[in-house]
Amino acid sequence: MIQAHATARYLRTSAQKAGLVLDLIRGKDVNRALATLRYTKKSVAGDVAKLLRSAIANAQQKDGFSGDVDRLFVSACYANQGPSQKRVRPAPMGRAFRVLKRTAHLTVQVSERPEKIVAVGDSAAPKRRAKPAAGGKPPARRQMSKKKE
């Protein structure tokens, strides 16, 4: 099973905002994840889509890749906090407020789904339930009696 990842560092967004978009694509196959990102109204979605395409390209370059991109899915994606830029904003009466311009490190990991191996004789007939007894009716169930207080 092939695994590949891509990382974008020092992205100018907060890790919390990027995490909201990454939650949308976690566990999905790559084509569905790219379609989801295309119609997501968050500005970081474009950066995540670019990162996902990079992870797909990294998977294609690995030895042992089957060549079928449709079998790839997003196995893990997360956003870690990067360093914050500290800036000063003037405030009334000679004071100053500190502004934190946050950054984030995003990581997307894709993996190849294993092929389902089906035995030749097992897939022909699905298992069925046993039929009820000769009377045609299933046995009656006992009802629980209520306790008197």
Side-chain angles (χ1 to χ4, degrees):
M1 182 168 75
I2 299 296
Q3 288 186 346
H5 74 278
T7 303
R9 301 186 73 203
Y10 305 106
L11 210 63
R12 266 294 283 124
T13 185
S14 69
Q16 185 176 6
K17 290 177 184 178
L20 293 173
V21 176
L22 292 174
D23 289 341
L24 294 174
I25 65 168
R26 188 175 292 118
K28 292 185 179 180
D29 61 280
V30 292
N31 292 326
R32 177 174 268 186
L34 285 171
T36 302
L37 290 171
R38 182 175 183 159
Y39 295 107
T40 302
K41 288 188 175 182
K42 298 280 189 180
S43 62
V44 74
D47 295 326
V48 174
K50 185 176 178 182
L51 185 62
L52 179 57
R53 281 192 218 95
S54 177
I56 294 167
N58 291 343
Q60 289 174 335
Q61 295 300 316
K62 291 246 181 174
D63 291 334
F65 180 65
S66 68
D68 189 11
V69 177
D70 294 332
R71 286 183 44 203
L72 290 176
F73 73 103
V74 181
S75 58
C77 54
Y78 50 89
N80 292 328
Q81 186 174 342
S84 297
Q85 300 173 358
K86 279 93 173 171
R87 298 291 181 260
V88 176
R89 182 170 186 261
M93 297 172 61
R95 286 178 291 204
F97 294 148
R98 175 171 271 185
V99 176
L100 292 178
K101 297 192 174 194
R102 299 185 185 275
T103 61
H105 303 316
L106 307 184
T107 302
V108 173
Q109 182 177 357
V110 295
S111 299
E112 198 171 22
R113 286 200 197 277
E115 287 189 47
K116 294 180 182 177
I117 300 172
V118 180
V120 177
D122 292 342
S123 65
K127 294 182 181 179
R128 296 184 180 178
R129 287 185 176 178
K131 291 185 178 179
K137 284 185 170 180
R141 294 185 182 180
R142 286 191 281 164
Q143 293 182 357
M144 299 289 288
S145 61
K146 294 182 181 178
K147 293 183 179 179
K148 293 182 180 179
E149 293 181 16

